[in-house]
Amino acid sequence: MSVSIATVNKAPTAVFADTVTVLEDAGLIRMAKFLTNVAAGPGSDETNQHIASVTCAVASTDVAHFKVQPSITLDTHELSFQSTEDYFGVVEVTVTVTDNGDTTNGGVNKLTGKFKIRILDVNDRPSFTAGAPITLKEDAPAYNALWATNIVPGPTNENTQTTQFTITASRPEVFKISPTINSAGFLAFTLAEDANGFVDLVITLQDNAGTDNGGIDKSFETKVRFTIEPINDAPVFIAGPSITVNEDAAPFTYKAWATDVKAG
């Protein structure tokens, strides 16, 4: 009597990290030897087998998050991928390692596992469109008008951030009420009395998301020149007291009757 023991293919083996962490907009990622301890099976009877394929797959809803889909090379086991611009979040990747053994007698020729790609948020630079330089007359009334437009904290996935303008004036003394720009882009200020000439403003938009991971929370500086045109003011003086003289009086001189005489 003879007994025949059928061969049963065992699943291939491989080891890989459970999480890969990269930064938003990091470009093409290449990780050498992402798979280690790769073998067609655990037994010595499978040494004649080889790994036939290594595949990666993400859920259909996550495909759009990659400019280059995750993949692992068959020969060097290198992982590569590239996320789409401005995306951050976590994506689960399914890895399937297949050997060239068969599945008869209940054999298994696939190893399936999962790992996560964690893409950390990197704050993008806020931006806005500056208005035109402003020209006003000396002693003009308080100014309040739309000036900054297209105010955005970054790409659309940063729309929950808040922003705030900061303004530095080269001649702060020309303002009675310093310039401000509100969240809607309205510029407001009040000129000081009799102020005129030029004043340069440096305007920056800042969001509240900080600079972690190399993020940028400030816009590029915008420099704008305001012109305050002088207006000739009427001359002024302080009159002295009323004077009473007799008819046919001799010429009369009253010294310093007009005081505080100014050209304007």
Short mmCIF file of all heavy atoms in Angstrom, two decimals, residues 21-79:
data_model
loop_
_atom_site.label_atom_id
_atom_site.label_comp_id
_atom_site.label_asym_id
_atom_site.label_seq_id
_atom_site.Cartn_x
_atom_site.Cartn_y
_atom_site.Cartn_z
N THR A 21 4.09 58.11 6.44
CA THR A 21 3.72 59.49 6.69
C THR A 21 4.56 60.43 5.82
O THR A 21 5.80 60.35 5.84
CB THR A 21 3.91 59.86 8.17
OG1 THR A 21 3.10 58.98 8.98
CG2 THR A 21 3.49 61.30 8.43
N VAL A 22 3.89 61.28 5.07
CA VAL A 22 4.57 62.27 4.22
C VAL A 22 3.85 63.60 4.35
O VAL A 22 2.75 63.69 4.92
CB VAL A 22 4.57 61.82 2.74
CG1 VAL A 22 5.34 60.52 2.56
CG2 VAL A 22 3.16 61.69 2.19
N LEU A 23 4.47 64.64 3.80
CA LEU A 23 3.86 65.97 3.84
C LEU A 23 3.05 66.25 2.58
O LEU A 23 3.34 65.71 1.51
CB LEU A 23 4.95 67.04 3.98
CG LEU A 23 5.79 67.01 5.25
CD1 LEU A 23 6.84 68.12 5.22
CD2 LEU A 23 4.92 67.14 6.49
N GLU A 24 2.05 67.08 2.72
CA GLU A 24 1.28 67.57 1.58
C GLU A 24 2.22 68.19 0.54
O GLU A 24 3.18 68.88 0.89
CB GLU A 24 0.29 68.60 2.09
CG GLU A 24 -0.51 69.35 1.03
CD GLU A 24 -1.27 70.51 1.62
OE1 GLU A 24 -1.55 70.51 2.83
OE2 GLU A 24 -1.59 71.44 0.85
N ASP A 25 1.94 67.91 -0.74
CA ASP A 25 2.71 68.47 -1.85
C ASP A 25 4.19 68.11 -1.78
O ASP A 25 5.06 68.90 -2.16
CB ASP A 25 2.55 70.00 -1.90
CG ASP A 25 1.11 70.42 -2.18
OD1 ASP A 25 0.38 69.65 -2.82
OD2 ASP A 25 0.72 71.51 -1.74
N ALA A 26 4.51 66.90 -1.30
CA ALA A 26 5.90 66.47 -1.16
C ALA A 26 6.50 65.99 -2.47
O ALA A 26 7.68 65.66 -2.52
CB ALA A 26 6.00 65.38 -0.10
N GLY A 27 5.69 65.92 -3.53
CA GLY A 27 6.21 65.43 -4.80
C GLY A 27 6.20 63.91 -4.86
O GLY A 27 5.53 63.23 -4.07
N LEU A 28 6.95 63.36 -5.79
CA LEU A 28 7.00 61.91 -5.96
C LEU A 28 7.77 61.27 -4.80
O LEU A 28 8.92 61.61 -4.55
CB LEU A 28 7.67 61.55 -7.29
CG LEU A 28 7.79 60.05 -7.59
CD1 LEU A 28 6.42 59.40 -7.72
CD2 LEU A 28 8.61 59.83 -8.86
N ILE A 29 7.11 60.34 -4.11
CA ILE A 29 7.72 59.62 -2.98
C ILE A 29 8.22 58.27 -3.48
O ILE A 29 7.48 57.53 -4.14
CB ILE A 29 6.71 59.42 -1.85
CG1 ILE A 29 6.17 60.77 -1.36
CG2 ILE A 29 7.34 58.63 -0.70
CD1 ILE A 29 7.21 61.69 -0.79
N ARG A 30 9.45 57.93 -3.14
CA ARG A 30 10.02 56.63 -3.48
C ARG A 30 10.68 56.06 -2.23
O ARG A 30 11.60 56.68 -1.68
CB ARG A 30 11.03 56.75 -4.63
CG ARG A 30 10.41 57.34 -5.89
CD ARG A 30 11.42 57.46 -7.02
NE ARG A 30 11.83 56.15 -7.49
CZ ARG A 30 12.62 55.96 -8.55
NH1 ARG A 30 13.10 57.01 -9.21
NH2 ARG A 30 12.95 54.75 -8.92
N MET A 31 10.21 54.91 -1.77
CA MET A 31 10.72 54.28 -0.55
C MET A 31 11.32 52.93 -0.92
O MET A 31 10.58 51.98 -1.24
CB MET A 31 9.61 54.13 0.49
CG MET A 31 8.99 55.45 0.91
SD MET A 31 7.75 55.26 2.22
CE MET A 31 8.78 54.69 3.56
N ALA A 32 12.64 52.84 -0.89
CA ALA A 32 13.33 51.60 -1.27
C ALA A 32 13.02 50.48 -0.28
O ALA A 32 12.87 50.72 0.93
CB ALA A 32 14.83 51.84 -1.35
N LYS A 33 12.92 49.26 -0.80
CA LYS A 33 12.72 48.06 0.03
C LYS A 33 11.57 48.23 1.02
O LYS A 33 11.71 47.93 2.21
CB LYS A 33 14.01 47.71 0.76
CG LYS A 33 15.17 47.37 -0.18
CD LYS A 33 16.44 47.00 0.58
CE LYS A 33 17.57 46.66 -0.37
NZ LYS A 33 18.82 46.31 0.32
N PHE A 34 10.46 48.72 0.51
CA PHE A 34 9.29 48.85 1.37
C PHE A 34 8.83 47.48 1.84
O PHE A 34 8.44 47.30 2.99
CB PHE A 34 8.16 49.56 0.62
CG PHE A 34 6.90 49.70 1.41
CD1 PHE A 34 6.84 50.57 2.48
CD2 PHE A 34 5.76 48.95 1.10
CE1 PHE A 34 5.67 50.69 3.24
CE2 PHE A 34 4.60 49.09 1.84
CZ PHE A 34 4.56 49.96 2.91
N LEU A 35 8.88 46.50 0.95
CA LEU A 35 8.61 45.10 1.34
C LEU A 35 9.92 44.45 1.73
O LEU A 35 10.93 44.57 1.04
CB LEU A 35 8.00 44.32 0.18
CG LEU A 35 6.61 44.73 -0.34
CD1 LEU A 35 6.16 43.76 -1.42
CD2 LEU A 35 5.60 44.78 0.78
N THR A 36 9.91 43.75 2.86
CA THR A 36 11.09 42.99 3.29
C THR A 36 10.66 41.55 3.60
O THR A 36 9.47 41.25 3.71
CB THR A 36 11.73 43.62 4.54
OG1 THR A 36 10.76 43.67 5.60
CG2 THR A 36 12.22 45.04 4.25
N ASN A 37 11.67 40.70 3.74
CA ASN A 37 11.42 39.27 4.05
C ASN A 37 10.40 38.67 3.08
O ASN A 37 9.49 37.94 3.48
CB ASN A 37 10.93 39.10 5.49
CG ASN A 37 11.94 39.60 6.51
OD1 ASN A 37 13.15 39.45 6.32
ND2 ASN A 37 11.46 40.20 7.59
N VAL A 38 10.56 39.00 1.81
CA VAL A 38 9.63 38.51 0.79
C VAL A 38 10.02 37.09 0.37
O VAL A 38 11.18 36.83 0.03
CB VAL A 38 9.64 39.44 -0.44
CG1 VAL A 38 8.64 38.95 -1.48
CG2 VAL A 38 9.33 40.87 -0.02
N ALA A 39 9.05 36.19 0.40
CA ALA A 39 9.30 34.80 0.00
C ALA A 39 8.04 34.22 -0.60
O ALA A 39 6.91 34.63 -0.28
CB ALA A 39 9.75 33.96 1.20
N ALA A 40 8.22 33.23 -1.48
CA ALA A 40 7.06 32.60 -2.12
C ALA A 40 6.26 31.75 -1.16
O ALA A 40 5.09 31.44 -1.41
CB ALA A 40 7.51 31.77 -3.31
N GLY A 41 6.82 31.36 -0.07
CA GLY A 41 6.13 30.56 0.92
C GLY A 41 7.07 30.24 2.06
O GLY A 41 8.30 30.40 1.95
N PRO A 42 6.55 29.76 3.17
CA PRO A 42 7.38 29.51 4.35
C PRO A 42 8.16 28.20 4.28
O PRO A 42 9.14 28.03 4.98
CB PRO A 42 6.37 29.51 5.49
CG PRO A 42 5.10 29.02 4.85
CD PRO A 42 5.11 29.57 3.46
N GLY A 43 7.73 27.25 3.47
CA GLY A 43 8.35 25.92 3.48
C GLY A 43 9.49 25.79 2.49
O GLY A 43 9.55 26.48 1.47
N SER A 44 10.41 24.83 2.78
CA SER A 44 11.54 24.59 1.88
C SER A 44 11.09 23.96 0.57
O SER A 44 11.79 24.03 -0.44
CB SER A 44 12.56 23.68 2.57
OG SER A 44 11.94 22.44 2.94
N ASP A 45 9.88 23.38 0.56
CA ASP A 45 9.38 22.76 -0.66
C ASP A 45 8.87 23.79 -1.67
O ASP A 45 8.46 23.42 -2.76
CB ASP A 45 8.25 21.76 -0.32
CG ASP A 45 7.10 22.42 0.41
OD1 ASP A 45 7.32 23.46 1.06
OD2 ASP A 45 5.97 21.89 0.32
N GLU A 46 8.91 25.08 -1.29
CA GLU A 46 8.44 26.12 -2.21
C GLU A 46 9.57 27.03 -2.68
O GLU A 46 9.33 28.09 -3.24
CB GLU A 46 7.33 26.95 -1.54
CG GLU A 46 6.10 26.11 -1.20
CD GLU A 46 4.91 26.94 -0.73
OE1 GLU A 46 5.02 28.18 -0.72
OE2 GLU A 46 3.87 26.35 -0.39
N THR A 47 10.80 26.58 -2.47
CA THR A 47 11.94 27.41 -2.87
C THR A 47 12.04 27.54 -4.38
O THR A 47 12.71 28.45 -4.88
CB THR A 47 13.24 26.83 -2.32
OG1 THR A 47 13.36 25.45 -2.74
CG2 THR A 47 13.26 26.90 -0.79
N ASN A 48 11.40 26.63 -5.10
CA ASN A 48 11.44 26.72 -6.56
C ASN A 48 10.39 27.68 -7.11
O ASN A 48 10.35 27.94 -8.31
CB ASN A 48 11.26 25.34 -7.20
CG ASN A 48 9.90 24.74 -6.86
OD1 ASN A 48 9.34 25.04 -5.81
ND2 ASN A 48 9.38 23.88 -7.73
N GLN A 49 9.53 28.19 -6.23
CA GLN A 49 8.53 29.17 -6.65
C GLN A 49 9.14 30.58 -6.63
O GLN A 49 10.21 30.81 -6.06
CB GLN A 49 7.30 29.12 -5.73
CG GLN A 49 6.50 27.84 -5.79
CD GLN A 49 5.29 27.89 -4.88
OE1 GLN A 49 4.88 28.95 -4.43
NE2 GLN A 49 4.72 26.72 -4.61
N HIS A 50 8.43 31.51 -7.22
CA HIS A 50 8.88 32.90 -7.18
C HIS A 50 7.66 33.82 -7.08
O HIS A 50 6.52 33.39 -7.32
CB HIS A 50 9.70 33.25 -8.43
CG HIS A 50 8.90 33.15 -9.70
ND1 HIS A 50 8.82 31.97 -10.43
CD2 HIS A 50 8.15 34.06 -10.38
CE1 HIS A 50 8.05 32.17 -11.49
NE2 HIS A 50 7.63 33.43 -11.47
N ILE A 51 7.91 35.06 -6.70
CA ILE A 51 6.83 36.05 -6.62
C ILE A 51 6.48 36.49 -8.03
O ILE A 51 7.34 36.96 -8.78
CB ILE A 51 7.24 37.27 -5.76
CG1 ILE A 51 7.62 36.81 -4.34
CG2 ILE A 51 6.13 38.30 -5.71
CD1 ILE A 51 6.50 36.12 -3.59
N ALA A 52 5.22 36.32 -8.38
CA ALA A 52 4.78 36.62 -9.74
C ALA A 52 4.34 38.07 -9.90
O ALA A 52 4.50 38.66 -10.97
CB ALA A 52 3.65 35.68 -10.15
N SER A 53 3.76 38.64 -8.83
CA SER A 53 3.28 40.02 -8.95
C SER A 53 3.10 40.64 -7.57
O SER A 53 2.89 39.93 -6.57
CB SER A 53 1.96 40.08 -9.71
OG SER A 53 0.92 39.44 -8.98
N VAL A 54 3.22 41.96 -7.55
CA VAL A 54 2.91 42.75 -6.35
C VAL A 54 2.03 43.91 -6.81
O VAL A 54 2.43 44.68 -7.69
CB VAL A 54 4.18 43.29 -5.67
CG1 VAL A 54 3.80 44.12 -4.45
CG2 VAL A 54 5.12 42.18 -5.29
N THR A 55 0.84 44.02 -6.24
CA THR A 55 -0.08 45.08 -6.66
C THR A 55 -0.54 45.90 -5.47
O THR A 55 -0.54 45.42 -4.33
CB THR A 55 -1.32 44.50 -7.36
OG1 THR A 55 -2.03 43.65 -6.44
CG2 THR A 55 -0.92 43.70 -8.60
N CYS A 56 -0.90 47.14 -5.76
CA CYS A 56 -1.47 48.04 -4.75
C CYS A 56 -2.81 48.55 -5.27
O CYS A 56 -2.96 48.79 -6.48
CB CYS A 56 -0.55 49.23 -4.49
SG CYS A 56 1.01 48.83 -3.71
N ALA A 57 -3.74 48.75 -4.37
CA ALA A 57 -5.05 49.28 -4.77
C ALA A 57 -5.58 50.16 -3.66
O ALA A 57 -5.37 49.90 -2.47
CB ALA A 57 -6.01 48.14 -5.05
N VAL A 58 -6.27 51.23 -4.06
CA VAL A 58 -6.96 52.10 -3.11
C VAL A 58 -8.44 52.12 -3.47
O VAL A 58 -8.82 51.75 -4.59
CB VAL A 58 -6.40 53.54 -3.13
CG1 VAL A 58 -4.93 53.53 -2.74
CG2 VAL A 58 -6.58 54.19 -4.50
N ALA A 59 -9.26 52.53 -2.54
CA ALA A 59 -10.70 52.62 -2.80
C ALA A 59 -10.96 53.59 -3.95
O ALA A 59 -10.20 54.54 -4.17
CB ALA A 59 -11.43 53.07 -1.54
N SER A 60 -12.03 53.35 -4.67
CA SER A 60 -12.35 54.20 -5.83
C SER A 60 -12.50 55.66 -5.43
O SER A 60 -12.20 56.57 -6.22
CB SER A 60 -13.62 53.70 -6.51
OG SER A 60 -14.72 53.71 -5.58
N THR A 61 -12.94 55.89 -4.21
CA THR A 61 -13.12 57.27 -3.75
C THR A 61 -11.79 57.96 -3.43
O THR A 61 -11.75 59.18 -3.26
CB THR A 61 -14.01 57.30 -2.50
OG1 THR A 61 -13.46 56.39 -1.52
CG2 THR A 61 -15.44 56.87 -2.83
N ASP A 62 -10.70 57.18 -3.35
CA ASP A 62 -9.40 57.73 -3.03
C ASP A 62 -8.48 57.86 -4.25
O ASP A 62 -7.39 58.44 -4.14
CB ASP A 62 -8.69 56.87 -1.98
CG ASP A 62 -9.33 56.98 -0.60
OD1 ASP A 62 -9.82 58.08 -0.27
OD2 ASP A 62 -9.34 55.98 0.13
N VAL A 63 -8.91 57.32 -5.37
CA VAL A 63 -8.07 57.36 -6.57
C VAL A 63 -7.70 58.80 -6.93
O VAL A 63 -6.56 59.11 -7.31
CB VAL A 63 -8.77 56.66 -7.75
CG1 VAL A 63 -8.03 56.92 -9.06
CG2 VAL A 63 -8.87 55.16 -7.49
N ALA A 64 -8.67 59.69 -6.79
CA ALA A 64 -8.45 61.09 -7.19
C ALA A 64 -7.45 61.82 -6.29
O ALA A 64 -7.00 62.91 -6.62
CB ALA A 64 -9.77 61.84 -7.18
N HIS A 65 -7.08 61.20 -5.16
CA HIS A 65 -6.13 61.84 -4.25
C HIS A 65 -4.68 61.64 -4.69
O HIS A 65 -3.77 62.13 -4.00
CB HIS A 65 -6.32 61.31 -2.84
CG HIS A 65 -7.67 61.57 -2.26
ND1 HIS A 65 -8.37 62.73 -2.51
CD2 HIS A 65 -8.47 60.83 -1.45
CE1 HIS A 65 -9.53 62.69 -1.87
NE2 HIS A 65 -9.61 61.55 -1.23
N PHE A 66 -4.47 60.92 -5.78
CA PHE A 66 -3.10 60.63 -6.21
C PHE A 66 -2.87 61.06 -7.64
O PHE A 66 -3.65 60.74 -8.54
CB PHE A 66 -2.80 59.13 -6.07
CG PHE A 66 -2.75 58.66 -4.65
CD1 PHE A 66 -3.87 58.10 -4.05
CD2 PHE A 66 -1.58 58.79 -3.90
CE1 PHE A 66 -3.83 57.67 -2.74
CE2 PHE A 66 -1.54 58.37 -2.59
CZ PHE A 66 -2.66 57.80 -2.00
N LYS A 67 -1.78 61.78 -7.83
CA LYS A 67 -1.30 62.09 -9.18
C LYS A 67 -0.60 60.87 -9.75
O LYS A 67 -0.70 60.58 -10.95
CB LYS A 67 -0.36 63.29 -9.12
CG LYS A 67 0.14 63.76 -10.47
CD LYS A 67 1.01 65.01 -10.31
CE LYS A 67 1.50 65.51 -11.66
NZ LYS A 67 2.33 66.74 -11.49
N VAL A 68 0.14 60.16 -8.90
CA VAL A 68 0.75 58.86 -9.24
C VAL A 68 0.23 57.85 -8.23
O VAL A 68 0.46 57.99 -7.03
CB VAL A 68 2.29 58.93 -9.19
CG1 VAL A 68 2.89 57.55 -9.46
CG2 VAL A 68 2.83 59.95 -10.17
N GLN A 69 -0.49 56.84 -8.71
CA GLN A 69 -1.09 55.86 -7.82
C GLN A 69 -0.01 55.03 -7.11
O GLN A 69 1.06 54.79 -7.65
CB GLN A 69 -2.01 54.92 -8.61
CG GLN A 69 -3.20 55.60 -9.26
CD GLN A 69 -4.15 56.22 -8.25
OE1 GLN A 69 -4.51 55.59 -7.26
NE2 GLN A 69 -4.55 57.46 -8.50
N PRO A 70 -0.28 54.60 -5.86
CA PRO A 70 0.70 53.79 -5.14
C PRO A 70 1.01 52.49 -5.90
O PRO A 70 0.11 51.84 -6.43
CB PRO A 70 -0.01 53.48 -3.81
CG PRO A 70 -1.03 54.56 -3.66
CD PRO A 70 -1.48 54.89 -5.04
N SER A 71 2.29 52.13 -5.94
CA SER A 71 2.72 50.88 -6.58
C SER A 71 4.00 50.40 -5.91
O SER A 71 4.74 51.19 -5.31
CB SER A 71 2.94 51.08 -8.08
OG SER A 71 4.01 51.98 -8.31
N ILE A 72 4.24 49.09 -6.00
CA ILE A 72 5.45 48.48 -5.45
C ILE A 72 6.10 47.67 -6.56
O ILE A 72 5.44 46.84 -7.20
CB ILE A 72 5.13 47.58 -4.24
CG1 ILE A 72 4.48 48.41 -3.12
CG2 ILE A 72 6.41 46.90 -3.73
CD1 ILE A 72 3.99 47.58 -1.95
N THR A 73 7.38 47.93 -6.81
CA THR A 73 8.06 47.21 -7.90
C THR A 73 8.26 45.75 -7.53
O THR A 73 8.46 45.39 -6.37
CB THR A 73 9.44 47.84 -8.18
OG1 THR A 73 10.22 47.83 -6.98
CG2 THR A 73 9.28 49.28 -8.66
N LEU A 74 8.20 44.91 -8.54
CA LEU A 74 8.32 43.46 -8.33
C LEU A 74 9.75 43.07 -7.96
O LEU A 74 9.96 42.18 -7.12
CB LEU A 74 7.89 42.73 -9.60
CG LEU A 74 7.97 41.19 -9.59
CD1 LEU A 74 7.09 40.63 -8.50
CD2 LEU A 74 7.59 40.63 -10.95
N ASP A 75 10.72 43.72 -8.57
CA ASP A 75 12.11 43.27 -8.36
C ASP A 75 12.76 43.88 -7.12
O ASP A 75 13.42 43.19 -6.34
CB ASP A 75 12.95 43.57 -9.61
CG ASP A 75 12.83 45.02 -10.05
OD1 ASP A 75 11.98 45.75 -9.50
OD2 ASP A 75 13.60 45.42 -10.95
N THR A 76 12.58 45.19 -6.89
CA THR A 76 13.25 45.85 -5.77
C THR A 76 12.33 46.15 -4.59
O THR A 76 12.78 46.64 -3.55
CB THR A 76 13.90 47.17 -6.22
OG1 THR A 76 12.87 48.06 -6.68
CG2 THR A 76 14.90 46.93 -7.34
N HIS A 77 11.03 45.91 -4.78
CA HIS A 77 10.03 46.11 -3.72
C HIS A 77 9.98 47.57 -3.25
O HIS A 77 9.74 47.86 -2.08
CB HIS A 77 10.31 45.18 -2.54
CG HIS A 77 10.44 43.74 -2.94
ND1 HIS A 77 11.34 42.88 -2.35
CD2 HIS A 77 9.81 43.02 -3.91
CE1 HIS A 77 11.25 41.69 -2.92
NE2 HIS A 77 10.32 41.75 -3.87
N GLU A 78 10.23 48.48 -4.19
CA GLU A 78 10.19 49.91 -3.88
C GLU A 78 8.76 50.44 -4.00
O GLU A 78 8.08 50.20 -4.99
CB GLU A 78 11.10 50.68 -4.84
CG GLU A 78 11.06 52.19 -4.64
CD GLU A 78 11.89 52.93 -5.66
OE1 GLU A 78 11.39 53.16 -6.78
OE2 GLU A 78 13.05 53.26 -5.35
N LEU A 79 8.33 51.18 -2.97
CA LEU A 79 7.02 51.82 -2.98
C LEU A 79 7.16 53.21 -3.56
O LEU A 79 8.08 53.97 -3.22
CB LEU A 79 6.47 51.93 -1.55
CG LEU A 79 5.22 52.81 -1.35
CD1 LEU A 79 4.01 52.20 -2.04
CD2 LEU A 79 4.95 53.03 0.14
#
